[in-house]
Amino acid sequence: MDIKIQRTTKPKTKPDQKALGFGKYLTDHMFLMDYNPEQGWHDFRIVPYRPIPMEPDAVALHYAQETFEGLKAYRYPDGSVHLFRPDMNAKRLINSNKRLCMPEVPVDLFVEACKAIVRVDEDWVPSEPGTSLYIRPFMFTSEGQIALHNCTRFTFAIILSPVGAYFAEGINPVKILVEDEYVRAVKGGTGFAKCGGNYAGAMIGQEKAEKLGYSQVLWLDGAERKYVEEAGGMNFVYSINGEFWTAPTEGTVLPGITRDSILHILRDWGVTVREERMDIDTLMAAGHDGSLKEAFACGTAAVISPVGALNYKGDEVTINNFTIGELTQKLYDYLTGIQWGKEADKYGWTVAID
Ligand code: PLP
Ligand code: COI
């Protein structure tokens, strides 16, 4: 891939690594490439971070033909920079794009583009404990058309943001509100795809949760509003009587890469993992009788965030005395150890940027 690189003449001042928060700062450059049926993907370029011009009738703005991904680059103790399972993000983007009638970005092209932009902004990869460089690839059609037909021209972009913890609570437990009115996804819909429309439709649940003092919403299935699915921007995992449970990814739940990595590790540790449906009443009962021992939300942004309380229709259960569970802590240490290059990567999940 021949990438043209135009470097900024006005590099930004880098933020304090101890106060990054999540997604507040953007680096100096971004990656762009375009698609049309005649040329396929073309015009690979890295340019200074700047606005993307769009026609007011661009289909992405009206009909949300847009998909995105999220992964991170980590600074190892020796100073080198590695990505975590970027091929998985590439494959998920292919699935999202198929659902949204958008062209595929081949896996190699996706991974090379991520590596290339991180190389250009390598100085932005932070090294403070708990920090990383969040990589946000996204794709949309900027083609203008008010009639409802599929488009033929698309843009793929990658922007970067140095980040710390997603939640203000850091690794301390968060409270979650179970949404009983609105739904996020139904079978046959777009729940498994990482597309902007899913998040727009879910914003109302997130807003409601935050107004009531909860960090995240927990979605129930869209058909019966009964089975536990996932949190707003992360998967939900919990342990009952020593067995770890999470919702199956059968079309309505985003197949998280953190979720997949965690299930892999747990199975390797000999822990029973159940990717099965669980109804909310049974989960709340397990919370009340104390058999619900650990719970956490997991995702690239959230990493592993312990859940200390669940509220469903005004009934609130506290989990593990609002402290991080033993295995949750062990998982956090091991997974982030691999990501930050402090544990041997026996799974071959990390990819150096050069
Ligand atoms: N579920 C939703 C709705 C998400 O937005 C995310 C974040 O990407 C996840 C789950 C977790 O996925 P991953 O671990 O790949 O980041
Ligand atoms: C991610 O974890 O990469 C996401 O896209 C979640 C988002 C809510 C920040």
Side-chain angles (χ1 to χ4, degrees), residues 219-272:
W219 294 104
L220 300 178
D221 76 282
E224 296 178 70
R225 273 180 257 181
K226 182 174 170 189
Y227 298 101
V228 174
E229 297 216 316
E230 64 181 319
M234 43 214 78
N235 295 113
F236 182 61
V237 182
Y238 48 95
S239 85
I240 298 181
N241 294 326
E243 295 182 335
F244 273 73
W245 288 70
T246 192
T249 51
E250 290 170 344
T252 54
V253 169
L254 191 82
I257 294 153
T258 319
R259 171 191 181 280
D260 181 80
S261 310
I262 286 167
L263 299 190
H264 224 89
I265 294 168
L266 284 173
R267 287 187 173 116
D268 261 12
W269 287 352
V271 177
T272 302

Side-chain angles (χ1 to χ4, degrees), residues 68-70 89 92 134 184 194 199 230-235 254-259 298-301:
F68 67 101
E69 269 304 324
N89 295 90
R92 188 169 63 189
Y134 185 73
R184 176 187 176 274
K194 210 161 162 59
Y199 296 78
E230 64 181 319
M234 43 214 78
N235 295 113
L254 191 82
I257 294 153
T258 319
R259 171 191 181 280
C298 62
T300 300

